[in-house]
Amino acid sequence: MHRLIFRQKVGMVYYISICLSLLLLVNSAYTLADVAVTTLPKSSLVPGGIAVIPTHAGALSGRYRNQRITLANFDGEQYAIIGIPLNAEIGSQQFDLSYADGHSESLQFSIEFKEYIEQHLTISNTRQVNPNTEDMVRINRESAKMTRAFSSWDDSLTPVFSMQAPVAGIRSSSFGLKRFFNEQPRNPHSGMDIAADEGTPIYAPAPGIILTTGNYFFNGNTIIMDHGHGLISLYCHMNTIDVEPGTVIRTGDQIGRVGQTGRVTGPHLHWSVNLNNTRVDPALFLTE
Ligand SMILES: [Zn+2]
């Protein structure tokens, strides 16, 4: 009797383990494929824009400039959603798609010139314009941490590409502006600035999970949020951070308050949105 029960148990364990491995097999194939979405970002074929391109096929994964790209299924059609870097050369761009049967193909799209105007800002803390050696060690460490976060990929989250502005305020600086601090040229503006009084609540523009928080040399109090499948957002210069890494966020949840920490000329939120580890124009996600 005991032996029979034992044999039945072993049989059951064997059966369950086969089911589990089949499930894992199906799941691993599934996690490579596209994600069903209800909205797409606006397509803008310029440096700093987004290429939203129908693939006319069910690709499993895609790459552009050595970075994994988002593949989304919208209304029964598969789209590659590609962040185009501000330093991309005008003309033909290539990305690669891989398929379940092992074959891959290259597709192309073309980008046009866009003029981004200059912005000249005066920073009273000159160390924030010309950091010393010690500052540079910190800046490099923080930059590596942010690059790691921007490269994150979470298959469990469904990206929402139509966003609401994270704070009610005046857009004080747009994405892509050629920046001069104290008349010295620096990197172009990688996000959107919304000016508001210190303490104004900042709300999540889309659902996600908090990847990391911290205090950074240039960015001040900062949150990085993962929205899934390579869509990641950044919030800087905050007065307070009201969330922790791992917090699950719904659209409209308060994540912090506007401040003036880090390199600023006044209280504002610096908001940036990333696709395939590339900073793109946040305005392309706004619904209004
Ligand atoms: Zn900014």
Side-chain angles (χ1 to χ4, degrees), residues 179 189 191-193 237 268 270:
R179 279 210 151 158
H189 192 216
M192 173 190 286
D193 288 351
H237 311 307
H268 74 280
H270 171 97

Side-chain angles (χ1 to χ4, degrees), residues 2 9 13 24 41 52 74 88 100 126 140 143 149 153 178 230 242 252 272:
H2 274 285
K9 273 188 181 164
V13 166
L24 282 174
V52 181
F74 175 73
T126 53
N140 290 334
S143 161
W153 190 278
K178 292 172 192 154
D242 299 344
S272 103

Side-chain angles (χ1 to χ4, degrees), residues 164-170 193-197 200-203 258 268-269 271:
Q164 57 183 50
V167 64
I170 300 149
D193 288 351
I194 305 168
D197 289 341
T200 306
I202 299 165
Y203 303 108
V258 171
H268 74 280
L269 173 71
W271 173 43

Side-chain angles (χ1 to χ4, degrees), residues 132-188:
N132 65 30
T133 318
E134 200 181 306
D135 296 334
M136 281 314 298
V137 173
R138 179 181 167 190
I139 290 162
N140 290 334
R141 190 177 59 230
E142 292 175 353
S143 161
K145 190 182 169 190
M146 279 187 283
T147 303
R148 268 200 307 281
F150 291 150
S151 314
S152 170
W153 190 278
D154 192 331
D155 279 315
S156 71
L157 298 166
T158 299
V160 171
F161 293 110
S162 68
M163 300 187 183
Q164 57 183 50
V167 64
I170 300 149
R171 197 180 305 178
S172 53
S173 175
S174 295
F175 173 88
L177 301 188
K178 292 172 192 154
R179 279 210 151 158
F180 295 81
F181 290 105
N182 302 350
E183 295 312 316
Q184 297 173 55
R186 289 293 181 268
N187 286 335

